[in-house]
Amino acid sequence: MSCAQCGATLAIPTMREAFGAVERLAPRLKANAEKPPPHAVKRRLEAIEADLPRRREWAAGMQAEADARRGHSFDQEPFDWSLLRGRSRLAARAGLIGAALWLVWRFWR
């Protein structure tokens, strides 16, 4: 069935005719997908821009949930590495020496 005014296809009774119609349209559809017309690009960009606040809110909620599960936030002060000086430096050295000895034992036995 076709429109009496513009000739547009309204309905196709068989799959063979439907496949033929799609085959005839395939080059145009591929060209349109590769380089859409400016009005289509503008409409898509407007839809994305309209959705940005919702997406930002969703991302912020996901980040807050992840921070809550980890038990910290990036707003906190960073870890003070100077606390590792002194006694903990000795423990760190002992740990590194132990790890080195284990590696030597593991790979040269």
Side-chain angles (χ1 to χ4, degrees):
M1 292 177 57
S2 298
C3 177
Q5 291 180 336
C6 68
T9 303
L10 299 176
I12 297 177
T14 65
M15 288 300 289
R16 180 173 287 152
E17 290 179 30
F19 185 74
V22 171
E23 282 293 314
R24 287 190 300 273
L25 286 176
R28 288 185 184 172
L29 293 171
K30 288 178 184 175
N32 190 11
E34 290 173 3
K35 187 171 187 328
H39 65 85
V41 172
K42 182 180 177 186
R43 186 179 66 237
R44 289 177 190 162
L45 289 175
E46 287 172 353
I48 290 171
E49 287 176 3
D51 195 38
L52 279 178
R54 184 193 64 81
R55 291 179 186 209
R56 286 186 179 124
E57 182 180 326
W58 176 79
M62 294 294 286
Q63 184 65 51
E65 182 180 333
D67 289 344
R69 286 185 181 180
R70 277 189 256 144
H72 66 81
S73 168
F74 289 108
D75 297 336
Q76 294 176 349
E77 294 183 23
F79 181 74
D80 185 12
W81 291 97
S82 65
L83 297 175
L84 295 179
R85 294 184 182 147
R87 292 181 188 168
S88 52
R89 181 181 280 175
L90 182 61
R93 284 182 186 166
L96 287 174
I97 291 171
L101 289 173
W102 180 81
L103 285 171
V104 168
W105 173 78
R106 173 78 171 100
F107 292 109
W108 280 330
R109 57 178 172 141

